[in-house]
Amino acid sequence: MINLLPDQNESIDKVTEAMRRRVKYILLQGATGSGKSVMAGEIIRRSVAKEKNVWFVVPRRDLLRQMGEVFN
């Protein structure tokens, strides 16, 4: 498991709260190198731990490879 920074945990908590409130559209935005892939991986890990179905869709194959490395 990856140790998250405090600001990453805060962002994940905000996204999680929005999902609980059933917000229809959620956008997590961050600068290059801010750990968006790691945060996405953690959100997915938490959802899977709760036995939720998860779809992760990316528009390009290079992003798919990158995220595969993060998830592994």
Side-chain angles (χ1 to χ4, degrees):
M1 180 157 60
I2 296 174
N3 292 324
L4 299 170
L5 299 172
D7 60 325
Q8 291 172 323
N9 272 317
E10 182 180 342
S11 294
I12 290 170
D13 291 343
K14 288 179 181 179
V15 168
T16 302
E17 178 57 30
M19 289 188 302
R20 272 192 210 110
R21 289 185 287 119
R22 298 185 186 267
V23 172
K24 190 171 183 177
Y25 301 105
I26 303 168
L27 174 66
L28 176 58
Q29 178 180 339
T32 301
S34 64
K36 295 179 296 290
S37 298
V38 172
M39 288 186 279
E42 178 62 14
I43 291 167
I44 291 168
R45 186 193 67 75
R46 292 180 186 184
S47 297
V48 169
K50 294 178 182 178
E51 299 183 0
K52 302 288 183 181
N53 291 325
V54 177
W55 284 38
F56 187 81
V57 181
V58 294
R60 298 191 326 243
R61 289 179 193 259
D62 57 328
L63 292 174
L64 183 63
R65 279 191 289 281
Q66 174 188 341
M67 291 307 298
E69 293 171 12
V70 170
F71 293 161
N72 285 329

